[in-house]
Each structure stands twice: as C-alpha cells, then as structure tokens.
Amino acid sequence: MRAPLIAGNWKMNGSLELVESFAETLSHTELPAGVELALMVPFPYLSVARARLPETMAVGAQTLSDKSEGAYTGEVSGSMLSDLGMQMVLVGHSERRTLFGEDDAAVLARVQAALSAGLKPVLCLGETLEERDAEQTEAVVLGQLGAVMDALMPEQRRTLVLAYEPVWAIGTGRTATPEQAQQVHAAIRARLAQYDASLAESMQILYGGSMKPDNAAELLAQADIDGGLIGGASLKVDDFLAICQSAG
C-alpha cells in the first residue's frame, strides 16, 4: 500500500512569520495517521523550517544546481541542502522548465545531482494547454518521464516521487477533473510497469494541478493518485491541513 504524501510548494512566497505560523499550528494539531507531509520552502527559510517544523514532516527545496560545487554564483548544490537536513527537492517543475529553460537533459542532470547528495527528487511532469488540445498529453508526460527513468539504474528509480502537474491547471482557475487526472496517473503507472511491476506498484504519484480543500477528497479517491503537490493552498495552514485530512 502506497502512503499518501501531501507536499506543499510555497514557490517564491512565504516569510519567517508564515514558517512560525505553520510550526505553531502543527504542534497543536493531530495529523492523520499514515499520511506523509512535506513542505518545499524558499532557500532562505530552509534552516528555520527544518528547526521549527515537526521532525515527522519532510522539508525540501524547490530546485538545486546540477553542479556539486564551484564558481557558480547564486547556485545551491545538493550537498548544501543535505547539510541543512533537507530530505527532498523538486526537479523539473513546470515553472523551471518554461521560465528558466530547463529541458529534459537539465532535469535529468538535477535528478542525478539530487540522488548523489542523498536527496529524494520529486520529479514533476506535465503538459501545456496547447499540448493537451493537440491530444499530446501522454506523449509529452511519458516522454518527460522516460528522459529521466531511462538513464537511471533500477535502484535509483525507486528513490523518486513523481508529480503530474497539468500546466494548464496551475494558477489559471482551471482544474483537471478527477477522471482526467486519473487517466494520466494510470498512464504513468503503466509506463513504470514496463520498467518493473513492483516499481509501478510502489511509486508515489502526486497530483499537482491546483488541489484545494474543496476538490482534494475526490482527487485523492482516485486509484492512482497518491497525494498532492500543493501550490497556493499550501500558503494557508488551515487549507493545507484540510487537504491533509482528506488524505487520511
């Protein structure tokens, strides 16, 4: 049985006050048993988040360099994240792909850098509205998946978490129906089974297309949706906790 994972992605938002608000609320909240929690916060807040949030909650970064060290001003390496006690890191988020030009090769390099540093990569996959309208969803998503998985050793593949994030449903007010989301998640799991049946059975695949308290339960009830990568709703502790309760 795959444990549900609810992971918040604050993007370039948040503050010390928000970290403290989450820490205070979580310290007095009984969380649902068997649900894994994580928060991906901006670099400046990683240390305080790890110090203040419950030890049972994973803390991660939103990206990392593909280089291990050197003259790369402004970059942050996987070993630095590990040194701060980080457990996870987002790789290939749609905003990194579209705004910062990270192609499949760049995403693979960052996955490999994360693995080398002992971090769990959360590999993001997703199609644009144009690609969906052209009926290219599975070709795009499975192509992004294969670009990474084909290059990894079998034991490395088992380290990843996947997140399907339809780009057209992020911050637009549009959300994939539970049936649309499930269809893509099922296609991803079927592709994983071509590598190894047990890999497909054990891999957590999160939905990252504007999951909110009012749609979380229906999305999480789908057979192949194992949790959520939460954007805007993860900036409000009550909304984030409501989604966590839906996963329990």
Side-chain angles (χ1 to χ4, degrees), residues 114-133:
L115 292 172
S116 295
L119 298 166
K120 180 182 286 294
V122 180
L123 174 62
C124 301
L125 315 165
E127 85 282 18
T128 64
L129 180 60
E130 292 76 17
E131 289 165 341
R132 170 164 281 271
D133 287 345

Side-chain angles (χ1 to χ4, degrees), residues 17-99:
E17 182 180 6
L18 186 60
V19 174
E20 291 295 337
S21 174
F22 266 72
E24 176 66 19
T25 301
L26 288 169
S27 69
H28 296 96
T29 302
E30 184 175 353
L31 298 171
V35 177
E36 299 176 0
L37 303 182
L39 272 184
M40 313 298 190
V41 302
F43 288 134
Y45 305 128
L46 290 174
S47 290
V48 68
R50 182 60 289 163
R52 295 288 291 119
L53 293 171
E55 292 184 3
T56 54
M57 186 176 203
V59 178
Q62 298 170 12
T63 187
L64 80 165
S65 174
D66 61 338
K67 306 294 192 297
S68 59
E69 61 182 354
Y72 303 103
T73 300
E75 291 293 281
V76 175
S77 71
S79 61
M80 292 174 180
L81 298 176
S82 294
D83 203 24
L84 292 177
M86 299 303 104
Q87 296 131 296
M88 310 176 91
V89 60
L90 295 179
V91 184
H93 190 280
S94 62
E95 290 158 7
R96 300 299 309 179
R97 294 179 189 262
T98 58
L99 299 178

